[in-house]
Amino acid sequence: MVAGTLYTYPENWRSFKALITLSTAPHFQFGQTNCTPEFLHKFPASKVLAFEGDDGFYVFQSSAIAYYVSNEELWGRTSEAAAQVVQWVSFADSDIVPPASTCVFPTLGIMHHDEQATENAKEEVRQILHLLDAHSKMGTFLVVACTLLWLYKQVLESSFCQAFPNTNCWFLTCINQPQFWAVLGKVKLCEKMAQFDA
Amino acid sequence: MVAGTLYTYPENWRSFKALITLSTAPHFQFGQTNCTPEFLHKFPASKVLAFEGDDGFYVFQSSAIAYYVSNEELWGRTSEAAAQVVQWVSFADSDIVPPASTCVFPTLGIMHHDEQATENAKEEVRQILHLLDAHSKMGTFLVVACTLLWLYKQVLESSFCQAFPNTNCWFLTCINQPQFWAVLGKVKLCEKMAQFDA
Amino acid sequence: MATNFLVHEKICFDKLKYEDAERRFYEQMKGG
């Protein structure tokens, strides 16, 4: 198992993939450590999430860090399983993160609320939940669960997601795994869709 | 080596990663085949790029397809090398594709030109070329070369990219590899930055 | 034109907006 330092910040859902596999607390001061010359020497892209192995190996991008700290079970034991992990990691980043951010960020007061953009994003989220409702029976992909977390905390009230029972069941199963508990603690799911926080 | 059918469309830079490793022409009619019930049964996310193995394995997302049709050399022979492949695949998708598309698409007449967005995107591209200028000596990542292709064809005139000689040299070395030639043919690089095509 | 298909690509043109929002959120968190 890999040992090292994860540079992240509290509640960073991008770090959960790594933390759930690492299950060790990050030691890092966001906004300070990542602006120092020594940090930029290690991580020239100056991006945070970043991981420094005790052996001096440096890697950034959440999916690369999660990959590096993972084991064969998470990588996929066959080329088909491994390709499906890559597929869902890529799908989560390209197709889930943007509509999820559009729905969630205004409720956290960190982005302006745009009614039309939010309605469009909610429709994309419905399509994703529908896709997973058919697919999640076949496999559990850590990255998808982490990417949906904020949606289930802020937006997915029961009237919205009751049409996708398999996805809801799959998600609840994931967050109740001991590795998730160790990092996320008890996740308080959305009862009433959070409104735009001016 | 994997055999199968790649569902894509012409000039799709996301397919080049797979085509360069597959080096077989795709058989597919974009806009027709991907709307049929049998296609949607295989690929419920209904996304194109999609790959169907002769053995009936289905995978979508360009990086997952490129992964599946690759070999150990492209995957990375050590966990560090493999993590770096994942890092640059993820970085290319999240940090290079958006500014590159903002710069290139208006010159292809497929997106409106927004002067400020284009200037911001060009600055992001400069930072990426600068990062690669320091980094590309350490390794060649197929995905980055494919993601930069349209920029070098449409936008990166010499006055723009002359400050990044290592990146230019690295990119030229890539596209002159026989596997690249087999798919891309001779790449005509930008001499004069293409203007917005109304 | 062959490149017209590219317009179907799913590309997050608002990347910088989201990154700024994420940064604001976590600096709020850090500020307590």
Side-chain angles (χ1 to χ4, degrees):
Chain A
M1 196 67 178
V2 165
T5 305
L6 184 67
Y7 299 100
T8 180
Y9 27 65
E11 287 301 309
N12 179 357
W13 48 270
R14 291 182 198 277
S15 68
F16 292 150
K17 302 194 287 281
L19 286 172
I20 285 163
T21 44
L22 269 180
S23 295
T24 54
H27 311 286
F28 176 62
Q29 271 305 314
F30 180 64
Q32 289 158 32
T33 319
N34 60 303
C35 303
T36 58
E38 51 270 21
F39 184 89
L40 297 176
H41 174 70
K42 295 172 189 172
F43 303 102
S46 76
K47 290 193 70 179
V48 173
L49 211 54
F51 177 80
E52 176 178 354
D54 289 351
D55 59 357
F57 177 66
Y58 306 121
V59 58
F60 60 93
Q61 298 296 118
S62 61
S63 41
I65 295 168
Y67 178 91
Y68 184 60
V69 303
S70 293
N71 52 30
E72 207 188 18
E73 183 188 1
L74 289 159
W75 289 333
R77 295 189 194 283
T78 64
S79 58
E80 284 78 7
Q84 286 192 314
V85 168
V86 177
Q87 173 182 283
W88 288 106
V89 167
S90 172
F91 182 78
D93 281 345
S94 62
D95 288 62
I96 303 180
V97 166
S101 304
T102 302
C103 292
V104 169
F105 284 7
T107 69
L108 299 174
I110 57 174
M111 198 161 86
H112 283 294
H113 175 72
D114 172 325
E115 188 60 34
Q116 188 52 54
T118 301
E119 285 313 308
N120 295 345
K122 283 179 182 171
E123 183 46 37
E124 286 187 66
V125 168
R126 276 191 197 87
Q127 289 172 18
I128 290 161
L129 296 178
H130 174 69
L131 169 66
L132 294 174
D133 205 58
H135 192 92
S136 54
K137 280 176 269 182
M138 265 79 89
T140 294
F141 297 93
L142 171 63
V143 60
V144 177
C146 293
T147 311
L148 291 173
L149 186 67
W150 274 104
L151 273 170
Y152 270 100
K153 288 171 72 170
Q154 295 286 103
V155 175
L156 298 183
E157 62 187 26
S158 55
S159 64
F160 188 102
C161 58
Q162 63 192 3
F164 316 107
N166 294 328
T167 307
N168 300 331
C169 174
W170 163 78
F171 181 78
L172 286 173
T173 306
C174 284
I175 59 172
N176 285 304
Q177 296 305 306
Q179 297 89 335
F180 278 76
W181 265 93
V183 174
L184 304 179
K186 177 158 181 47
V187 175
K188 189 178 176 319
L189 298 181
C190 169
E191 283 154 17
K192 181 94 187 72
M193 198 176 286
Q195 295 309 310
F196 168 48
D197 172 352
Chain B
M1 196 64 183
V2 169
T5 306
L6 184 67
Y7 299 99
T8 181
Y9 43 74
E11 294 302 324
N12 179 358
W13 85 91
R14 291 191 200 271
S15 67
F16 293 150
K17 302 195 286 284
L19 287 171
I20 286 163
T21 45
L22 268 179
S23 295
T24 55
H27 311 285
F28 176 63
Q29 278 300 317
F30 184 70
Q32 290 157 37
T33 319
N34 61 304
C35 302
T36 59
E38 50 270 18
F39 184 89
L40 296 177
H41 175 70
K42 294 172 190 171
F43 304 103
S46 76
K47 290 193 72 179
V48 172
L49 214 49
F51 177 80
E52 176 179 354
D54 290 349
D55 59 358
F57 177 66
Y58 306 121
V59 60
F60 60 93
Q61 298 296 119
S62 62
S63 41
I65 295 167
Y67 178 91
Y68 184 61
V69 303
S70 292
N71 52 31
E72 204 187 23
E73 185 189 0
L74 288 160
W75 288 333
R77 294 188 194 286
T78 64
S79 58
E80 284 77 8
Q84 287 194 312
V85 169
V86 177
Q87 172 181 285
W88 288 105
V89 167
S90 172
F91 182 77
D93 277 345
S94 63
D95 287 63
I96 302 179
V97 165
S101 306
T102 303
C103 293
V104 168
F105 282 14
T107 68
L108 300 174
I110 60 176
M111 192 167 91
H112 280 295
H113 174 75
D114 172 326
E115 188 60 34
Q116 187 52 53
T118 301
E119 286 313 307
N120 293 345
K122 283 180 183 172
E123 184 45 39
E124 283 188 86
V125 168
R126 275 191 198 87
Q127 289 173 19
I128 289 161
L129 296 177
H130 173 68
L131 169 67
L132 295 174
D133 205 60
H135 192 92
S136 53
K137 281 177 275 192
M138 267 81 90
T140 293
F141 296 92
L142 171 62
V143 60
V144 177
C146 293
T147 311
L148 292 174
L149 187 66
W150 274 104
L151 274 172
Y152 271 99
K153 288 169 74 171
Q154 296 287 105
V155 175
L156 298 184
E157 61 185 23
S158 57
S159 64
F160 188 103
C161 57
Q162 64 191 4
F164 315 107
N166 294 329
T167 307
N168 300 330
C169 173
W170 162 80
F171 181 78
L172 285 174
T173 307
C174 284
I175 60 174
N176 285 306
Q177 298 304 308
Q179 297 90 334
F180 277 78
W181 265 92
V183 175
L184 305 178
K186 176 158 181 46
V187 174
K188 188 178 175 321
L189 297 182
C190 168
E191 281 154 19
K192 183 90 187 73
M193 197 175 285
Q195 293 312 308
F196 167 48
D197 171 352
Chain C
M1 193 174 164
T3 52
N4 288 351
F5 292 125
L6 291 175
V7 76
H8 297 279
E9 281 305 317
K10 197 172 204 83
I11 291 159
C12 182
F13 288 104
D14 291 336
K15 168 176 98 69
L16 291 177
K17 190 171 81 175
Y18 291 129
E19 284 175 357
D20 287 346
E22 271 191 67
R23 192 172 296 111
R24 258 198 304 280
F25 174 61
Y26 295 117
E27 281 169 353
Q28 277 174 9
M29 294 278 289
K30 194 164 96 40

PDB file of all heavy atoms in Angstrom, chain A residues 38-62:
ATOM      1  N   GLU A  38       8.421  25.529  -3.339  1.00  0.00           N
ATOM      2  CA  GLU A  38       8.729  24.092  -3.294  1.00  0.00           C
ATOM      3  C   GLU A  38       7.526  23.261  -3.780  1.00  0.00           C
ATOM      4  O   GLU A  38       7.708  22.235  -4.426  1.00  0.00           O
ATOM      5  CB  GLU A  38       9.190  23.637  -1.906  1.00  0.00           C
ATOM      6  CG  GLU A  38       8.348  24.007  -0.741  1.00  0.00           C
ATOM      7  CD  GLU A  38       8.798  25.372  -0.149  1.00  0.00           C
ATOM      8  OE1 GLU A  38       9.469  26.197  -0.837  1.00  0.00           O
ATOM      9  OE2 GLU A  38       8.429  25.598   0.984  1.00  0.00           O
ATOM     10  N   PHE A  39       6.304  23.763  -3.486  1.00  0.00           N
ATOM     11  CA  PHE A  39       5.129  23.023  -3.988  1.00  0.00           C
ATOM     12  C   PHE A  39       5.118  23.096  -5.517  1.00  0.00           C
ATOM     13  O   PHE A  39       4.921  22.093  -6.203  1.00  0.00           O
ATOM     14  CB  PHE A  39       3.840  23.627  -3.432  1.00  0.00           C
ATOM     15  CG  PHE A  39       2.584  22.865  -3.821  1.00  0.00           C
ATOM     16  CD1 PHE A  39       2.123  21.823  -3.037  1.00  0.00           C
ATOM     17  CD2 PHE A  39       1.895  23.184  -4.987  1.00  0.00           C
ATOM     18  CE1 PHE A  39       0.985  21.115  -3.396  1.00  0.00           C
ATOM     19  CE2 PHE A  39       0.753  22.472  -5.356  1.00  0.00           C
ATOM     20  CZ  PHE A  39       0.302  21.439  -4.558  1.00  0.00           C
ATOM     21  N   LEU A  40       5.369  24.264  -6.066  1.00  0.00           N
ATOM     22  CA  LEU A  40       5.305  24.430  -7.527  1.00  0.00           C
ATOM     23  C   LEU A  40       6.439  23.679  -8.210  1.00  0.00           C
ATOM     24  O   LEU A  40       6.305  23.214  -9.348  1.00  0.00           O
ATOM     25  CB  LEU A  40       5.353  25.929  -7.879  1.00  0.00           C
ATOM     26  CG  LEU A  40       4.161  26.732  -7.345  1.00  0.00           C
ATOM     27  CD1 LEU A  40       4.335  28.213  -7.651  1.00  0.00           C
ATOM     28  CD2 LEU A  40       2.849  26.216  -7.929  1.00  0.00           C
ATOM     29  N   HIS A  41       7.549  23.476  -7.491  1.00  0.00           N
ATOM     30  CA  HIS A  41       8.634  22.676  -8.081  1.00  0.00           C
ATOM     31  C   HIS A  41       8.182  21.218  -8.228  1.00  0.00           C
ATOM     32  O   HIS A  41       8.451  20.551  -9.225  1.00  0.00           O
ATOM     33  CB  HIS A  41       9.878  22.749  -7.191  1.00  0.00           C
ATOM     34  CG  HIS A  41      10.975  21.844  -7.635  1.00  0.00           C
ATOM     35  ND1 HIS A  41      11.701  22.069  -8.793  1.00  0.00           N
ATOM     36  CD2 HIS A  41      11.432  20.658  -7.125  1.00  0.00           C
ATOM     37  CE1 HIS A  41      12.580  21.097  -8.962  1.00  0.00           C
ATOM     38  NE2 HIS A  41      12.452  20.212  -7.961  1.00  0.00           N
ATOM     39  N   LYS A  42       7.423  20.758  -7.201  1.00  0.00           N
ATOM     40  CA  LYS A  42       6.943  19.362  -7.246  1.00  0.00           C
ATOM     41  C   LYS A  42       5.772  19.224  -8.227  1.00  0.00           C
ATOM     42  O   LYS A  42       5.626  18.236  -8.917  1.00  0.00           O
ATOM     43  CB  LYS A  42       6.452  18.941  -5.858  1.00  0.00           C
ATOM     44  CG  LYS A  42       7.522  18.880  -4.785  1.00  0.00           C
ATOM     45  CD  LYS A  42       6.863  18.645  -3.422  1.00  0.00           C
ATOM     46  CE  LYS A  42       7.827  18.789  -2.266  1.00  0.00           C
ATOM     47  NZ  LYS A  42       7.131  18.745  -0.953  1.00  0.00           N
ATOM     48  N   PHE A  43       4.910  20.258  -8.226  1.00  0.00           N
ATOM     49  CA  PHE A  43       3.665  20.165  -9.009  1.00  0.00           C
ATOM     50  C   PHE A  43       3.580  21.376  -9.926  1.00  0.00           C
ATOM     51  O   PHE A  43       2.885  22.344  -9.625  1.00  0.00           O
ATOM     52  CB  PHE A  43       2.459  20.108  -8.078  1.00  0.00           C
ATOM     53  CG  PHE A  43       2.499  18.973  -7.083  1.00  0.00           C
ATOM     54  CD1 PHE A  43       2.862  19.199  -5.764  1.00  0.00           C
ATOM     55  CD2 PHE A  43       2.231  17.670  -7.493  1.00  0.00           C
ATOM     56  CE1 PHE A  43       2.922  18.160  -4.846  1.00  0.00           C
ATOM     57  CE2 PHE A  43       2.287  16.619  -6.578  1.00  0.00           C
ATOM     58  CZ  PHE A  43       2.645  16.855  -5.256  1.00  0.00           C
ATOM     59  N   PRO A  44       4.307  21.361 -11.047  1.00  0.00           N
ATOM     60  CA  PRO A  44       4.394  22.552 -11.922  1.00  0.00           C
ATOM     61  C   PRO A  44       3.035  22.985 -12.475  1.00  0.00           C
ATOM     62  O   PRO A  44       2.833  24.138 -12.771  1.00  0.00           O
ATOM     63  CB  PRO A  44       5.333  22.103 -13.047  1.00  0.00           C
ATOM     64  CG  PRO A  44       5.430  20.621 -12.954  1.00  0.00           C
ATOM     65  CD  PRO A  44       5.148  20.246 -11.553  1.00  0.00           C
ATOM     66  N   ALA A  45       2.079  22.048 -12.527  1.00  0.00           N
ATOM     67  CA  ALA A  45       0.749  22.474 -13.001  1.00  0.00           C
ATOM     68  C   ALA A  45       0.038  23.248 -11.900  1.00  0.00           C
ATOM     69  O   ALA A  45      -1.048  23.783 -12.128  1.00  0.00           O
ATOM     70  CB  ALA A  45      -0.064  21.260 -13.446  1.00  0.00           C
ATOM     71  N   SER A  46       0.636  23.282 -10.725  1.00  0.00           N
ATOM     72  CA  SER A  46       0.156  24.015  -9.534  1.00  0.00           C
ATOM     73  C   SER A  46      -1.300  23.681  -9.219  1.00  0.00           C
ATOM     74  O   SER A  46      -2.027  24.477  -8.646  1.00  0.00           O
ATOM     75  CB  SER A  46       0.271  25.540  -9.721  1.00  0.00           C
ATOM     76  OG  SER A  46      -0.776  25.997 -10.568  1.00  0.00           O
ATOM     77  N   LYS A  47      -1.725  22.469  -9.602  1.00  0.00           N
ATOM     78  CA  LYS A  47      -3.119  22.102  -9.351  1.00  0.00           C
ATOM     79  C   LYS A  47      -3.236  21.386  -7.994  1.00  0.00           C
ATOM     80  O   LYS A  47      -2.340  20.648  -7.579  1.00  0.00           O
ATOM     81  CB  LYS A  47      -3.630  21.171 -10.468  1.00  0.00           C
ATOM     82  CG  LYS A  47      -3.787  21.888 -11.802  1.00  0.00           C
ATOM     83  CD  LYS A  47      -4.581  21.057 -12.784  1.00  0.00           C
ATOM     84  CE  LYS A  47      -6.029  20.974 -12.383  1.00  0.00           C
ATOM     85  NZ  LYS A  47      -6.848  20.171 -13.342  1.00  0.00           N
ATOM     86  N   VAL A  48      -4.350  21.666  -7.323  1.00  0.00           N
ATOM     87  CA  VAL A  48      -4.680  20.930  -6.103  1.00  0.00           C
ATOM     88  C   VAL A  48      -5.958  20.181  -6.394  1.00  0.00           C
ATOM     89  O   VAL A  48      -6.861  20.750  -6.955  1.00  0.00           O
ATOM     90  CB  VAL A  48      -4.917  21.916  -4.917  1.00  0.00           C
ATOM     91  CG1 VAL A  48      -5.424  21.171  -3.699  1.00  0.00           C
ATOM     92  CG2 VAL A  48      -3.632  22.639  -4.593  1.00  0.00           C
ATOM     93  N   LEU A  49      -6.007  19.043  -6.294  1.00  0.00           N
ATOM     94  CA  LEU A  49      -5.578  17.884  -5.541  1.00  0.00           C
ATOM     95  C   LEU A  49      -4.190  17.471  -6.009  1.00  0.00           C
ATOM     96  O   LEU A  49      -3.952  17.421  -7.227  1.00  0.00           O
ATOM     97  CB  LEU A  49      -6.575  16.749  -5.812  1.00  0.00           C
ATOM     98  CG  LEU A  49      -6.813  15.749  -4.741  1.00  0.00           C
ATOM     99  CD1 LEU A  49      -7.205  16.407  -3.451  1.00  0.00           C
ATOM    100  CD2 LEU A  49      -7.911  14.782  -5.147  1.00  0.00           C
ATOM    101  N   ALA A  50      -3.269  17.147  -5.049  1.00  0.00           N
ATOM    102  CA  ALA A  50      -1.925  16.703  -5.449  1.00  0.00           C
ATOM    103  C   ALA A  50      -1.456  15.686  -4.411  1.00  0.00           C
ATOM    104  O   ALA A  50      -1.855  15.756  -3.238  1.00  0.00           O
ATOM    105  CB  ALA A  50      -0.960  17.883  -5.500  1.00  0.00           C
ATOM    106  N   PHE A  51      -0.649  14.730  -4.852  1.00  0.00           N
ATOM    107  CA  PHE A  51      -0.179  13.675  -3.941  1.00  0.00           C
ATOM    108  C   PHE A  51       1.333  13.544  -4.033  1.00  0.00           C
ATOM    109  O   PHE A  51       1.900  13.537  -5.128  1.00  0.00           O
ATOM    110  CB  PHE A  51      -0.828  12.326  -4.285  1.00  0.00           C
ATOM    111  CG  PHE A  51      -0.352  11.183  -3.433  1.00  0.00           C
ATOM    112  CD1 PHE A  51      -0.870  10.992  -2.162  1.00  0.00           C
ATOM    113  CD2 PHE A  51       0.649  10.323  -3.885  1.00  0.00           C
ATOM    114  CE1 PHE A  51      -0.427   9.943  -1.363  1.00  0.00           C
ATOM    115  CE2 PHE A  51       1.104   9.279  -3.088  1.00  0.00           C
ATOM    116  CZ  PHE A  51       0.566   9.088  -1.823  1.00  0.00           C
ATOM    117  N   GLU A  52       1.977  13.477  -2.861  1.00  0.00           N
ATOM    118  CA  GLU A  52       3.435  13.289  -2.794  1.00  0.00           C
ATOM    119  C   GLU A  52       3.713  11.992  -2.057  1.00  0.00           C
ATOM    120  O   GLU A  52       3.416  11.860  -0.862  1.00  0.00           O
ATOM    121  CB  GLU A  52       4.073  14.456  -2.035  1.00  0.00           C
ATOM    122  CG  GLU A  52       5.564  14.307  -1.827  1.00  0.00           C
ATOM    123  CD  GLU A  52       6.163  15.512  -1.103  1.00  0.00           C
ATOM    124  OE1 GLU A  52       5.437  16.513  -0.873  1.00  0.00           O
ATOM    125  OE2 GLU A  52       7.351  15.455  -0.753  1.00  0.00           O
ATOM    126  N   GLY A  53       4.212  11.014  -2.781  1.00  0.00           N
ATOM    127  CA  GLY A  53       4.532   9.726  -2.144  1.00  0.00           C
ATOM    128  C   GLY A  53       5.740   9.879  -1.234  1.00  0.00           C
ATOM    129  O   GLY A  53       6.602  10.743  -1.485  1.00  0.00           O
ATOM    130  N   ASP A  54       5.787   9.056  -0.203  1.00  0.00           N
ATOM    131  CA  ASP A  54       6.953   9.100   0.708  1.00  0.00           C
ATOM    132  C   ASP A  54       8.233   8.793  -0.060  1.00  0.00           C
ATOM    133  O   ASP A  54       9.327   9.105   0.373  1.00  0.00           O
ATOM    134  CB  ASP A  54       6.762   8.098   1.858  1.00  0.00           C
ATOM    135  CG  ASP A  54       5.657   8.587   2.811  1.00  0.00           C
ATOM    136  OD1 ASP A  54       5.216   9.751   2.640  1.00  0.00           O
ATOM    137  OD2 ASP A  54       5.230   7.802   3.683  1.00  0.00           O
ATOM    138  N   ASP A  55       8.070   8.162  -1.222  1.00  0.00           N
ATOM    139  CA  ASP A  55       9.274   7.818  -2.017  1.00  0.00           C
ATOM    140  C   ASP A  55       9.621   8.926  -3.009  1.00  0.00           C
ATOM    141  O   ASP A  55      10.430   8.757  -3.907  1.00  0.00           O
ATOM    142  CB  ASP A  55       9.013   6.505  -2.770  1.00  0.00           C
ATOM    143  CG  ASP A  55       7.784   6.637  -3.695  1.00  0.00           C
ATOM    144  OD1 ASP A  55       7.137   7.726  -3.674  1.00  0.00           O
ATOM    145  OD2 ASP A  55       7.473   5.664  -4.418  1.00  0.00           O
ATOM    146  N   GLY A  56       8.900  10.076  -2.893  1.00  0.00           N
ATOM    147  CA  GLY A  56       9.246  11.206  -3.757  1.00  0.00           C
ATOM    148  C   GLY A  56       8.574  11.190  -5.104  1.00  0.00           C
ATOM    149  O   GLY A  56       8.932  11.934  -6.016  1.00  0.00           O
ATOM    150  N   PHE A  57       7.539  10.344  -5.252  1.00  0.00           N
ATOM    151  CA  PHE A  57       6.781  10.348  -6.513  1.00  0.00           C
ATOM    152  C   PHE A  57       5.674  11.389  -6.413  1.00  0.00           C
ATOM    153  O   PHE A  57       4.944  11.404  -5.431  1.00  0.00           O
ATOM    154  CB  PHE A  57       6.185   8.954  -6.767  1.00  0.00           C
ATOM    155  CG  PHE A  57       5.318   8.886  -8.005  1.00  0.00           C
ATOM    156  CD1 PHE A  57       5.877   9.057  -9.267  1.00  0.00           C
ATOM    157  CD2 PHE A  57       3.951   8.688  -7.898  1.00  0.00           C
ATOM    158  CE1 PHE A  57       5.082   9.008 -10.408  1.00  0.00           C
ATOM    159  CE2 PHE A  57       3.152   8.634  -9.040  1.00  0.00           C
ATOM    160  CZ  PHE A  57       3.711   8.803 -10.296  1.00  0.00           C
ATOM    161  N   TYR A  58       5.538  12.263  -7.397  1.00  0.00           N
ATOM    162  CA  TYR A  58       4.512  13.313  -7.360  1.00  0.00           C
ATOM    163  C   TYR A  58       3.463  13.048  -8.436  1.00  0.00           C
ATOM    164  O   TYR A  58       3.803  12.747  -9.578  1.00  0.00           O
ATOM    165  CB  TYR A  58       5.139  14.692  -7.624  1.00  0.00           C
ATOM    166  CG  TYR A  58       6.289  15.028  -6.726  1.00  0.00           C
ATOM    167  CD1 TYR A  58       7.554  15.307  -7.256  1.00  0.00           C
ATOM    168  CD2 TYR A  58       6.141  15.038  -5.338  1.00  0.00           C
ATOM    169  CE1 TYR A  58       8.627  15.596  -6.427  1.00  0.00           C
ATOM    170  CE2 TYR A  58       7.215  15.343  -4.505  1.00  0.00           C
ATOM    171  CZ  TYR A  58       8.459  15.619  -5.058  1.00  0.00           C
ATOM    172  OH  TYR A  58       9.509  15.908  -4.236  1.00  0.00           O
ATOM    173  N   VAL A  59       2.183  13.228  -8.063  1.00  0.00           N
ATOM    174  CA  VAL A  59       1.129  13.057  -9.065  1.00  0.00           C
ATOM    175  C   VAL A  59      -0.026  13.999  -8.742  1.00  0.00           C
ATOM    176  O   VAL A  59      -0.318  14.248  -7.565  1.00  0.00           O
ATOM    177  CB  VAL A  59       0.670  11.571  -9.130  1.00  0.00           C
ATOM    178  CG1 VAL A  59       0.166  11.049  -7.809  1.00  0.00           C
ATOM    179  CG2 VAL A  59      -0.340  11.353 -10.240  1.00  0.00           C
ATOM    180  N   PHE A  60      -0.637  14.592  -9.772  1.00  0.00           N
ATOM    181  CA  PHE A  60      -1.823  15.438  -9.563  1.00  0.00           C
ATOM    182  C   PHE A  60      -2.948  14.875 -10.416  1.00  0.00           C
ATOM    183  O   PHE A  60      -2.778  13.855 -11.074  1.00  0.00           O
ATOM    184  CB  PHE A  60      -1.527  16.912  -9.906  1.00  0.00           C
ATOM    185  CG  PHE A  60      -1.090  17.159 -11.332  1.00  0.00           C
ATOM    186  CD1 PHE A  60      -2.020  17.483 -12.318  1.00  0.00           C
ATOM    187  CD2 PHE A  60       0.258  17.060 -11.686  1.00  0.00           C
ATOM    188  CE1 PHE A  60      -1.622  17.707 -13.633  1.00  0.00           C
ATOM    189  CE2 PHE A  60       0.676  17.285 -13.009  1.00  0.00           C
ATOM    190  CZ  PHE A  60      -0.274  17.608 -13.974  1.00  0.00           C
ATOM    191  N   GLN A  61      -4.126  15.515 -10.418  1.00  0.00           N
ATOM    192  CA  GLN A  61      -5.374  15.016 -11.001  1.00  0.00           C
ATOM    193  C   GLN A  61      -5.957  13.921 -10.126  1.00  0.00           C
ATOM    194  O   GLN A  61      -5.328  12.873  -9.896  1.00  0.00           O
ATOM    195  CB  GLN A  61      -5.196  14.489 -12.443  1.00  0.00           C
ATOM    196  CG  GLN A  61      -4.733  15.503 -13.457  1.00  0.00           C
ATOM    197  CD  GLN A  61      -5.714  16.658 -13.723  1.00  0.00           C
ATOM    198  OE1 GLN A  61      -5.380  17.788 -13.472  1.00  0.00           O
ATOM    199  NE2 GLN A  61      -6.923  16.348 -14.162  1.00  0.00           N
ATOM    200  N   SER A  62      -7.151  14.171  -9.626  1.00  0.00           N
ATOM    201  CA  SER A  62      -7.762  13.273  -8.637  1.00  0.00           C
ATOM    202  C   SER A  62      -7.822  11.827  -9.118  1.00  0.00           C
ATOM    203  O   SER A  62      -7.559  10.903  -8.343  1.00  0.00           O
ATOM    204  CB  SER A  62      -9.172  13.767  -8.295  1.00  0.00           C
ATOM    205  OG  SER A  62      -9.988  13.760  -9.452  1.00  0.00           O
TER     206      SER A  62
END
